[in-house]
Amino acid sequence: MESDEERRIARARLPEGVRPETLAVRAALAPSQHGENSEGLFLTSAYVQPDAATSAKRFADMLDFTYSRTSNPTVRSLEMRLAAMEGAEAAIATTTGMSAILLLIMGLLKAGDHVVCSRSVFGSTIGLFGKEFAKFGVETSFVAQTDLAEWRAAMRPTTKLLFAETPTNPLTDVCDIAALAGIAHAGGALLAVDNTFCTPALQRPLSLGADVVMHAATKYLDGQGRVMAGALCGSEALINGIMAPVLRTVGMTLSPFNAWVVLKGLETLHLRMKAQSDQALAVARWLAARPEVARVYYPGLATHPQHDLAMRQQSGLGGAVLSFDLQADTPEAARARAFHVIDSTRVLSIATNLGDTKSIITHPATTSHGRLSEAQRQAAGIGQGMVRLAVGLEHVDDITDDLLRGLATLPTA
């Protein structure tokens, strides 16, 4: 006869083939003996062991809970859920998205190894690869996000990793994940994809051939701007065999509270991503018709250079982030006009985050990419007149009305 414990664990096992929306709500560790319906928040640094022999075995195998720098039930539930949603064998949670990239490099690379990275990625990612890792002998070549010939030409015998972000921040360039996976694997390298903008609700890079998926879970996975978190998803061998030992030593461990918050965020991820993508498309179309706007960057628009690819890779949706360039004759005028539009808003939040239910407006050249040189910004296509908008869940007419406060009061270009 089944014990209560056996029945409890059996009930927590989901049937084969449940849909991603169900995984986002249900995938987790089995509830405790108390039968909580919402995943438990385990705020503990250590775990009492039944005896010394069991303690020795658990510390040796690192399979059970011993110390929260190495594992925690709440963090484990988040990792299980995110892995299930990405179609990965395993996932590992970290303190931030940038620490997830740091963990990736510490686990995979050594001095003398080479990375090929898109030059259109997040500014801090460029700094991490181009400056910080270079101190330890890891060399990086930056290439055009959408030019497969450049990716191929950059490959070397020492290339161990290709790193791409799709869509990119803030230009929303979309790369062909399957094609990059082919280039990486032909050269004996791995492909890592930053899936922060799309999340598994829209895009699953592993199904297209990527080896590792990286997340800044601070963004859409949480979804309400509450906590910092990051994650890597991939094979059991990569995540638990290579990354987990590094994380245990280095200590970039996600806190249980932050993990619990992201777990709750995942439950509404599919609904939010659909709604915010629909809103972003409406705002992008509105901006494209404004005479003050020189160009709108948004994969959901038919005018976007990679529109067809984006619709195939991203479940037919453009995501919730767009950028636009203002009409201007000089960089100085462009910056002044961008600041005017941003400062004229009364509903939108002026901040550098994204992924919130609140719409966020920012000036990439002086915030997310402000630490890059002007040459690096120009190479990435980020001008002084660019404004980035992460579209939230306010009424879409209130968002466009707020943008109009600045656009309608701009001096003639």
Side-chain angles (χ1 to χ4, degrees):
M1 182 177 178
E2 271 189 333
S3 67
D4 289 344
E5 175 72 4
E6 289 169 331
R7 280 194 295 272
R8 177 176 64 82
I9 294 173
R11 284 282 302 172
R13 294 196 188 101
L14 293 172
E16 291 290 329
V18 296
R19 278 75 175 173
E21 293 85 350
T22 303
L23 293 171
V25 175
R26 294 285 182 177
L29 287 176
S32 74
Q33 70 274 22
H34 304 299
E36 64 278 357
N37 190 46
S38 178
E39 291 76 27
L41 173 54
F42 290 85
L43 294 176
T44 182
S45 57
Y47 306 83
V48 176
Q49 307 299 312
D51 52 65
T54 302
S55 176
K57 184 175 186 341
R58 288 177 176 174
F59 270 88
D61 296 341
M62 301 306 291
L63 297 176
D64 292 298
F65 302 111
T66 55
Y67 188 59
S68 277
R69 192 183 79 242
T70 63
S71 58
N72 173 277
T74 310
V75 177
R76 180 76 58 81
S77 285
L78 170 61
E79 292 167 342
M80 290 174 61
R81 182 169 295 176
L82 186 56
M85 293 171 69
E86 283 286 6
E89 293 177 356
I92 191 165
T94 64
T95 50
T96 65
M98 294 310 301
S99 70
I101 301 175
L102 177 61
L103 175 61
L104 176 72
I105 301 306
M106 293 183 72
L108 292 180
L109 304 183
K110 64 183 184 308
D113 287 341
H114 176 246
V115 177
V116 184
C117 180
S118 165
R119 70 169 62 100
S120 301
V121 295
F122 177 49
S124 292
T125 303
I126 293 174
L128 192 58
F129 279 108
K131 181 181 178 182
E132 305 304 335
F133 293 146
K135 297 176 184 176
F136 302 98
V138 174
E139 193 172 352
T140 302
S141 296
F142 292 98
V143 298
Q145 166 91 350
T146 59
D147 190 337
L148 295 176
E150 278 200 38
W151 288 86
R152 288 192 192 95
M155 296 292 289
R156 304 176 186 173
T158 55
T159 302
K160 303 300 182 185
L161 179 71
L162 277 63
F163 189 93
E165 169 184 302
T166 185
T168 58
N169 179 10
L171 290 169
T172 72
D173 287 336
V174 176
C175 69
D176 187 328
I177 297 172
L180 287 186
I183 293 171
H185 298 159
L190 300 179
L191 172 64
V193 174
D194 182 339
N195 200 27
T196 297
F197 271 34
C198 280
T199 80
L202 303 188
Q203 174 176 273
R204 300 212 300 175
L206 296 178
S207 69
L208 298 171
D211 300 287
V212 184
V213 171
M214 170 263 164
H215 281 285
T218 307
K219 316 303 184 187
Y220 290 103
L221 299 189
D222 168 24
Q224 295 183 56
R226 299 168 292 191
V227 296
M228 308 289 285
L232 297 173
C233 307
S235 67
E236 182 78 23
L238 274 173
I239 300 301
N240 291 330
I242 296 176
M243 304 301 166
V246 177
L247 181 137
R248 285 196 293 268
T249 301
V250 176
M252 53 190 65
T253 311
L254 184 62
S255 75
F257 178 78
N258 287 11
W260 184 82
V261 171
V262 178
L263 264 173
K264 297 295 99 181
L266 290 178
E267 294 177 2
T268 60
L269 178 64
H270 287 82
L271 297 174
R272 288 186 284 103
M273 292 303 297
K274 173 65 167 63
Q276 288 173 253
S277 294
D278 289 346
Q279 299 244 105
L281 178 59
V283 174
R285 286 172 171 165
W286 180 86
L287 283 166
R290 294 296 310 178
E292 306 88 355
V293 175
R295 180 176 177 181
V296 179
Y297 304 85
Y298 182 66
L301 292 177
T303 54
H304 190 282
Q306 298 93 44
H307 172 73
D308 292 341
L309 173 62
M311 294 302 96
R312 292 196 305 272
Q313 285 189 169
Q314 299 174 195
S315 306
L317 295 172
V321 178
L322 61 91
S323 296
F324 58 96
D325 287 329
L326 291 162
Q327 300 278 8
D329 294 330
T330 66
E332 294 76 19
R335 178 168 172 166
R337 291 167 74 82
F339 278 21
H340 175 81
V341 170
I342 292 169
D343 291 345
S344 297
T345 59
R346 295 295 178 268
V347 175
L348 309 179
S349 299
I350 304 173
T352 57
N353 194 28
L354 57 94
D356 205 318
T357 53
K358 298 178 176 69
S359 292
I360 291 174
I361 192 168
T362 191
H363 185 246
T366 55
T367 57
S368 60
H369 293 70
R371 294 183 182 275
L372 302 184
S373 67
E374 185 59 29
Q376 286 177 310
R377 281 194 293 271
Q378 289 181 8
I382 299 165
Q384 293 294 332
M386 176 176 285
V387 176
R388 191 193 74 190
L389 181 64
V391 179
L393 291 176
E394 303 92 348
H395 193 287
V396 69
D397 290 344
D398 289 327
I399 297 172
T400 55
D401 286 350
D402 212 33
L403 292 169
L404 188 59
R405 296 181 216 283
L407 292 173
T409 55
L410 281 169
T412 303

